[in-house]
Amino acid sequence: MTSPTAKVDAFRALHVPGRPLLMPNPWDAGSARLLAALGFPALATTSSGFAATLGRLDGTVTRDEALAHAAAIVAAVDVPVSADLENGFAADPGAVADTVRGAVAAGLAGCSIEDFSGDPQSPIYDLGFAAERVAAAAVAAHRDTGLVLTARAENFLHGNPDLADTIARLQAYQEAGADVLYAPGLRDLDDIRRVIAAVDRPVNVLAFPGLAGVAGLAAAGVARISVGGAFSAATIGALNRAARELLDAGTFGFLELAAEGRVQAAAVFGPR
């Protein structure tokens, strides 16, 4: 098995503007092993996908649950793993740092911290306080193995599509010590170019309907592309379609896809 330090170094080196790291988001050990076997060089957990395995919605997983889940994904594969740690499961910068120290202990190569507060009345932390949180996370991340810290500006996912404010936030998070910057929800290629031109760190983009494909994002200078909970949601959608076919049509067309899955499982889940 590759050492944690080597995984961190490998993960950091994969962030090259113009040659984006395609980083999918498994939701359990099996999906992680499948994605690694397909050739993806790094993986990231998905908060919504993991919550779905527990029969919950995104935002309802605890810090201990998320860290234990991340450790299980790390143990399942030999590629670097980054964790979606939501808002650090706390508002207080010191508590966010504790979460990041837990990520280091879990053997992760990276983690992300967002500026979404969870408060419907004030969903995004004040910029100064948000930067303090990133700074505390960066200090914790950069000890020992030097965990790759991604700072997320959540405006576009929470009703505030203000590009200027988003850029100001990403710049502040860069100054606070973030290694990678991420504003999920950006859909316009010109907006993405403006973000990349305004910062000096690799930029992650979330796959979104209507967004330019990998080639277009690469040309814009994107360094990493993730899918969030999309792969997990796609499996739920496939399960729902198969179940509706059985219930409503009484047919077994889904068995063709099931046969494909069995072949893939046999190829991936054998002795390691």
Side-chain angles (χ1 to χ4, degrees):
M1 295 290 285
T2 307
S3 72
T5 300
K7 286 183 180 180
V8 171
D9 291 342
F11 186 48
R12 193 180 300 278
L14 288 168
H15 292 78
V16 181
R19 288 190 294 159
L21 165 64
L22 303 181
M23 188 173 71
N25 303 73
W27 54 95
D28 61 10
S31 58
R33 288 186 62 184
L34 171 60
L35 292 168
L38 288 172
F40 288 101
L43 308 174
T45 67
T46 159
S47 61
S48 63
F50 174 48
T53 68
L54 304 174
R56 305 182 205 163
L57 293 176
D58 198 10
T60 61
V61 169
T62 68
R63 177 170 66 181
D64 287 348
E65 288 173 328
L67 291 175
H69 168 67
I73 299 296
V74 169
V77 296
D78 200 31
V79 299
V81 177
S82 185
D84 175 355
L85 296 181
E86 304 187 39
N87 71 346
F89 303 100
D92 176 69
V96 173
D98 287 340
T99 298
V100 175
R101 281 189 282 271
V104 173
L108 287 158
C111 69
S112 65
I113 298 293
E114 63 194 38
D115 58 10
F116 174 55
S117 70
D119 178 359
Q121 302 304 313
S122 183
I124 306 296
Y125 290 117
D126 172 79
L127 176 54
F129 182 61
E132 286 181 41
R133 299 171 77 256
V134 173
V139 170
H142 295 153
R143 288 177 179 159
D144 301 323
T145 59
L147 200 74
V148 176
L149 176 67
T150 298
R152 297 174 44 148
E154 298 284 297
N155 276 337
F156 278 75
L157 294 185
H158 296 286
N160 184 35
D162 184 333
L163 185 63
D165 182 65
T166 296
I167 288 173
R169 286 175 174 276
L170 294 176
Q171 290 172 332
Y173 302 160
Q174 170 181 303
E175 293 304 311
D179 302 296
V180 178
L181 303 171
Y182 183 14
L186 290 176
R187 304 187 190 207
D188 184 86
L189 200 55
D190 285 338
D191 288 348
I192 293 170
R193 290 192 188 100
R194 287 179 62 188
V195 167
I196 292 169
V199 299
D200 296 321
R201 297 288 186 275
V203 172
N204 182 94
V205 169
L206 176 67
F208 239 85
L211 187 63
V214 171
L217 293 172
V222 171
R224 191 173 83 194
I225 301 169
S226 55
V227 301
F231 280 6
S232 167
T235 65
I236 294 173
L239 175 60
N240 183 67
R241 287 186 183 184
R244 293 309 328 176
E245 180 190 359
L246 182 61
L247 280 170
D248 299 339
T251 57
F252 310 123
F254 58 86
L255 292 177
E256 182 177 351
L257 183 59
E260 179 183 331
R262 289 191 186 94
V263 169
Q264 193 64 32
V268 173
F269 300 152
R272 295 180 66 184

